[in-house]
Amino acid sequence: MNTTIYLRRYWQLYALISLPLLYFLVFKYGPMWGVQIAFKDFNLFQGISGSEWIGFDAFVEVFKMKDFYLTLRNTLMLNILDLIVSFPAPLILAIMLYEAKWVWFKKISQTILYIPHFISWVIIGGIVYQVFGTQSGMINNVLSSLGLDAIPFLTDKKDWLVTYLATGVWQSAGWGTILYLAALTGINRELFEAAEVDGAGRFKRIWHITLPGLKTTIVTLLIINLGNMITIGFERPYIIGNLAVREFSDVLSTFVYRVGIQSGEYTLATVVGLFQAIVGLIFVLGANYASKKLTDESIL
């Protein structure tokens, strides 16, 4: 087909794709210009172009800071624990909802599970302190009225870790079920009916039909999660954390905020951000390669 005729026939499709393409160019690729701050002694008044080049000096300075390794360790630890605890939760919830027979129960359950995703971490932080606070928290008030010792949910490091993970599951698991439920609708119902006729119980149907049907979705989400292994959101550890548990709650994002924004060390903050991006890319490529070798599934 002639190119001119082709474009005249399908110009609407190219017009539609041009808008998201423009968004990525302006807001995702455009800011990459600022990455050079990591290699400059950035001066706010001289701007990016006018600041002096310093090579890898800022990288050396960051890698010599003890706080950097502490926050790197905490970031990896919290993300690995999150992956172990939070990653299977949406899958289990989706399978349970899919297996439920009552439609009204499914709808009510889905609504209740999705709601926490729309609540900001500021509000969630307030709820956490109201429920788990050591002195005035709801749970410890009940324990105190029963003559039991208070549990330091937010001030003891191990208890804080459990509270942090449980809060994450509560906030994100319901929303994560959407992808799995969408994938489940693509599985042929006749497979379940045939397995039922052959005498397969519910667990066998889940094991031999449901999970293989979700294999591609599981692998894709796992690779994406591994890519974010060294990146962690700022709000959750910053709001739920406190000085008593800083040994666990101080992560790379709070380190960047403290060093980059509060101290005005924009070069060091950019170095940490660039480090996270490069390591995250290595994680994604490594996970994708391993997945392709082990399961023949990949996203690249």
Side-chain angles (χ1 to χ4, degrees), residues 8 13 33 113 116 143-145 150 168 171 255 262 267 292:
R8 281 181 180 173
L13 296 176
W33 165 257
L113 291 168
L143 292 175
S144 178
S145 64
Q171 195 269 345
F255 174 78
Q262 290 186 327
T267 299
K292 197 170 185 177

Side-chain angles (χ1 to χ4, degrees), residues 134-253:
T134 305
Q135 300 297 329
S136 57
M138 190 186 303
I139 294 177
N140 279 323
N141 281 342
V142 172
L143 292 175
S144 178
S145 64
L146 295 173
L148 300 173
D149 294 333
I151 300 173
F153 291 108
L154 302 175
T155 51
D156 179 78
K157 287 181 287 188
K158 292 179 181 175
D159 290 327
W160 179 85
L161 204 54
V162 175
T163 308
Y164 175 89
L165 294 172
T167 307
V169 172
W170 174 73
Q171 195 269 345
S172 62
W175 184 254
T177 58
I178 291 176
L179 290 174
Y180 289 115
L181 286 172
L184 282 168
T185 58
I187 300 176
N188 191 345
R189 291 295 304 178
E190 292 180 358
L191 293 173
F192 292 99
E193 293 168 2
E196 200 170 348
V197 170
D198 289 342
R202 175 163 295 176
F203 288 104
K204 282 192 174 179
R205 293 199 301 270
I206 292 173
W207 184 258
H208 293 290
I209 300 174
T210 306
L211 289 177
L214 293 174
K215 182 180 169 185
T216 303
T217 307
I218 295 170
V219 170
T220 302
L221 292 177
L222 183 61
I223 292 172
I224 293 172
N225 274 277
L226 287 172
N228 293 326
M229 193 54 63
I230 203 167
T231 305
I232 194 166
F234 171 78
E235 297 94 340
R236 187 175 160 200
Y238 184 76
I239 292 171
I240 300 179
N242 54 71
L243 286 176
V245 294
R246 187 177 169 183
E247 190 180 343
F248 280 179
S249 66
D250 199 13
V251 294
L252 283 175
S253 54

Side-chain angles (χ1 to χ4, degrees), residues 57 79 89 104 109 127 166 170:
D57 290 357
N79 279 335
W104 64 268
S109 300
I127 295 172
W170 174 73

